[in-house]
Structure formats: structure tokens, C-alpha cells
Amino acid sequence: MHSIFLFILIFTICFDVLNAKVISNHNVSDTCNLDNKLIEEIASYKNVTEFIMNEIISKGLGQEMYKEYTDFIDKFGARVSGSENLEKSIDYMINLTISHGLTDVTTEEVDVPHYVRGHESLQMISPRKKNMALIGLGASVATPPEGITADVIVIKSFQDLDQTQEAKIKGKIVLFDAHYVTYGKTVIYRTQGASRAAKKGAVASLVRSVTPFSIYSTHTGAQFYDDNVTKIPTAAITLEDADLMRRMQERGEKITVTLKMSSTFDMKKSRNTIIDIKGKENPNKVVIVSGHIDSWDVGQGAMDDGGGMIISWFAPVFLNIYNLKPRRTLRAILWTAEEPGLIGAAAYLRRHLSQLSDINFVMESDEGTFKPRGLDVAGSKTTRCIIAEILKLFTPVDEMTNSGGPGSDITMIINKGVPGASLLNKNERYFWYHHSEGDTLNVQNKNEVINCAAFWTAVSYVIADISKDLPRS
Ligand SMILES: [Zn+2]
């Protein structure tokens, strides 16, 4: 895979959502010099934001949205990049949008990877027989049909790998047993492990699943082969089996396993879906709310990113019902093919590069739709001051963080100087379920999703409607 995706991944998907620095609104406001007229203007939105929140939370509209969400998730389940099921789910959302009276719905075609896992198995044969759960990582090459039987060497970190003699790695299966610190710090063993191990002569690589918690769960995800390095099969195993093999190695026991993996890989067509409420004064200026519609091929993609997708879809649907037209266009984007490496968002950026100056603000929800907390904001000081002022309308949902890289799909747009934000929420358990069979509706809480939708709709409306453009970095 191209190094550009690796770059994007390291700086975006790997963004550490849990360690973002919280800056209270109060502190930001202390150093802000916003015009009094603007402060008064923002405060004047209190009625409309209360109206929006109330209609969604108390008057049943949020319940209706949640029903649409559960219908969608149950109907389609996992929606993997390049699959017919993903395309059908996109058609479904387009029809649903139109059935709610929106007419400004368009799609943009994107070439996307289509990785289909086949049979996968891992059997330990020494020091004792044990079948182990595993899940192939995105776009892993297959093993020969008879599998790869080799000894395992447990490696703690890339530093450990660098310090281990090549002779000890050659011909072995490397198990990266890096314990979860943060997603950003740990995911590199999943994304780069195979090529790092192959460079030292490994025949396959395994990675401890990137999660702080496990009930014998395996967690897949994207991985990227370096050019000019042998592509070796690569898969994730459970925390339990990684710990088991580490203990065996510490006892001096020889660990031998047979790894079998098959898969196919080709390219398909998919689509980004764009839903607009055209601005009443500046239709060319756009505020984007977004989430991705694709998921991994395990679980239901309910949390990642069904929740973020549905609350972003709901913003224009709600505004249309109440004929609330903001000054600027409010655009919901349902990104395709986020999981294999931000493919849909990269295509959108390429296609709209000449219109970037028209994007006033870009928002994304792809880190959970648990209890909402506020926004993680990237932008100039003035932009952050304005957003902090807007967040005062939503107390206690008024936290503002500055992680330096909010979101995943939107990061490429933000890196071009467009201010943006991702949804902050109480997502401490997000990586328990992430990219696993556990990502189902059972981890979602109806009221929390509805509260996220209410906040997301109201805050995006205010940003799209205030008289002042958000200044660029
Ligand atoms: Zn996601």
C-alpha cells in the first residue's frame, strides 16, 4: 500500500482520542477578544438550539432516528469496502433520505479495495495443542494452502525487534505482544508489524489485538505493506493467547504453530453520499458533518461507524423537517471505504481541491456516539474562541479539546487548513469493541445516541448559520 496511506494512518486513525488535552471553555474565553456583537449574536441562538435539542430529545424525533438506525444496522450488518452489501446499504440510505423529503442527494464514485477473508486458522502444536482465535488484518496476503508451520518468537516492541539478531527472526512467525497504551501508540504494531518483521526474515506476523480489554476477542484493522519488502501473512490474536505465548517463551518453551489464511483482493466501485441543505444566503459555502458508512467485516459496524453516520445523516434531515435553512449549506457526507485507509475522503479531497476555500468547517463523528461531551477542535485561535463561545449554548456539553488531529476521514481536509472538529464523547470503552465481533447495537445506548444527534444537529446548525466565517489557520 502506498506510503501516503501509512502517513495518513499514523497521523489520523491513530489519533489518540483518549489523551486529548481538555481546555475548558472558561480558559479559552479568558484569552479571547471576540467582538461583543458576535458574542451577543451567538448567545441569541439559545432559543433555536433549545428548540432543536428539545424536539430531538423530548419530542420523539430522536426516537424515530434511533429506529431508522437500528433498522439499518439489523438489515445490513457489516458493510465492508467493495462489497455488494455496502452498495445496497448506500442505496438504502439514499432512498431513506429522499423519503424524508430531501432532494439534494448526490453520490460521487470512488474506486475502493475489496478484501474478502476466506478460511483462517491458527493451531499451536508445541508445547501443547491448542486452537487459537485469530483474525486476518486488512489486505493480508494468504498462506500456502497447507499453511505455514513455524516457531513463534514473541517480541515486545519495535525496539525489541531492532535489538534481536536477524538469525533469531529468520523463518519464524513474529508475535508483536505490545500492550495497549493508547490506540495511537499501539496501533503501529498492527499497521506496520508485518513489513517490519518481514525485513528481518519473518515468514508471518501476529499482533496482540489493539484493545485494552478482551473476553477472548480478536480485533482486525488496516495494515500497510512497505514497497520492496516481502508481503507476509499477518493477523491479530487475542490478549489471552498473546499472554499465554509470552509466558511460554519466558519459560524457555519452544512454541510452534500452524497458520492458515486465505483471502481475495480486488478493486470495486463505491460512492460517497452527499446530502445538502442549501444555504439561504451563501449556498456555495459549506459546513460538513460526516461519518463513514462502511465497516469492517465483523460485528455489525453499529458503533464504528453506524452511530456517527446516522447522527450526521440526521442533521440535514431534521433541519429539512423544520425548514431551518442556515446561511451556509449544511452538507452531510456518508464516507465510503474509511476502514481500508480513508479512501472515500481522499477521493472527495482530490475532487473538491479547487473548492476547499468554500468549506467553512468540517465535522466528523467516528470515535463513538456515547454520552456527548463537546468538540475536539482544530483551527486558528479565533476559530477556537468562536467554537468555545458556541459551546456555551450547550452546557454541560461544552468541553473543548485540542488534540491536534481531530477525526480520521476529515484530517486530510483539516491538514489543508480548513478548521474542523470531531465529536467528543465518553468513549473510554470504544476500543473494547472496535473492529471486532463485539461492535453491535448492544454496545450502543439509545439515549446517548439521541443526545449526540441533538447536540450534533444543533451545533452544526449554529456554525453553518452565524454571520462570521470561521477564520483559517
Ligand atoms: Zn471508524
Side-chain angles (χ1 to χ4, degrees), residues 9-151:
L9 193 92
I10 291 164
F11 289 97
T12 60
I13 299 181
C14 322
F15 150 65
D16 174 14
V17 292
L18 302 177
N19 276 6
K21 191 179 168 200
V22 176
I23 297 169
S24 79
N25 269 329
H26 188 71
N27 289 341
V28 172
S29 306
D30 281 348
T31 58
C32 289
N33 276 318
L34 293 182
D35 195 82
N36 271 339
K37 269 174 93 176
L38 181 62
I39 292 173
E40 278 169 31
E41 185 199 331
I42 291 170
S44 75
Y45 280 95
K46 188 72 184 165
N47 285 346
V48 70
T49 55
E50 276 181 358
F51 170 77
I52 293 171
M53 305 275 284
N54 193 42
E55 290 295 312
I56 296 173
I57 295 168
S58 312
K59 294 274 181 71
L61 266 177
Q63 302 278 338
E64 274 181 48
M65 178 208 70
Y66 199 79
K67 186 188 174 301
E68 301 284 20
Y69 168 55
T70 54
D71 286 354
F72 173 82
I73 295 296
D74 284 342
K75 190 171 179 63
F76 296 102
R79 307 167 300 282
V80 74
S81 169
S83 67
E84 210 181 305
N85 192 47
L86 172 62
E87 295 315 296
K88 283 183 177 162
S89 79
I90 292 170
D91 289 337
Y92 179 91
M93 288 308 296
I94 292 167
N95 291 332
L96 186 66
T97 312
I98 292 167
S99 77
H100 280 277
L102 284 106
T103 50
D104 223 323
V105 188
T106 53
T107 59
E108 292 177 353
E109 206 170 82
V110 185
D111 292 316
V112 302
H114 183 223
Y115 165 73
V116 182
R117 73 179 73 251
H119 170 79
E120 296 177 331
S121 68
L122 179 66
Q123 190 182 41
M124 183 163 70
I125 41 187
S126 167
R128 65 176 167 89
K129 278 214 159 120
K130 183 186 189 300
N131 289 323
M132 293 178 162
L134 94 158
I135 188 163
L137 301 182
S140 170
V141 294
T143 63
E146 69 278 14
I148 294 172
T149 299
D151 293 348

Side-chain angles (χ1 to χ4, degrees), residues 363-401:
M363 297 163 68
E364 177 181 24
S365 169
D366 186 18
E367 287 140 24
T369 40
F370 302 97
K371 190 177 177 193
R373 288 169 46 202
L375 295 174
D376 181 23
V377 179
S380 66
K381 190 184 164 204
T382 310
T383 288
R384 294 172 48 70
C385 286
I386 294 171
I387 298 294
E389 201 61 38
I390 291 172
L391 284 172
K392 286 179 184 171
L393 297 164
F394 299 97
T395 305
V397 186
D398 60 358
E399 275 179 62
M400 192 166 89
T401 58

Side-chain angles (χ1 to χ4, degrees), residues 247-364:
R247 290 193 301 271
M248 286 171 163
Q249 176 168 294
E250 282 166 1
R251 286 186 203 106
E253 291 169 328
K254 180 175 142 85
I255 309 163
T256 310
V257 300
T258 298
L259 171 69
K260 287 184 186 170
M261 293 172 68
S262 67
S263 60
T264 59
F265 184 88
D266 57 357
M267 295 297 288
K268 297 277 188 198
K269 298 281 182 201
S270 187
R271 295 157 289 166
N272 287 323
T273 306
I274 298 167
I275 305 159
D276 281 354
I277 290 282
K278 281 283 183 313
K280 66 183 176 203
E281 280 182 21
N282 296 311
N284 290 335
K285 290 197 173 163
V286 178
V287 169
I288 294 172
V289 286
S290 65
H292 65 87
I293 190 166
D294 69 303
S295 72
W296 276 105
D297 55 349
V298 285
Q300 296 179 326
M303 179 192 78
D304 183 12
D305 184 27
M309 185 276 291
I310 205 77
I311 66 165
S312 297
W313 168 80
F314 186 64
V317 168
F318 177 91
L319 297 185
N320 184 59
I321 291 170
Y322 289 91
N323 204 22
L324 277 168
K325 279 191 197 301
R327 275 194 177 83
R328 300 170 195 79
T329 293
L330 185 87
R331 169 169 296 175
I333 303 182
L334 317 184
W335 307 109
T336 193
E338 187 270 353
E339 296 295 2
L342 319 180
I343 310 297
Y348 184 87
L349 180 61
R350 281 196 298 274
R351 191 186 286 246
H352 296 272
L353 210 48
S354 64
Q355 303 138 25
L356 275 189
S357 59
D358 293 334
I359 305 177
N360 190 44
F361 201 67
V362 61
M363 297 163 68
E364 177 181 24

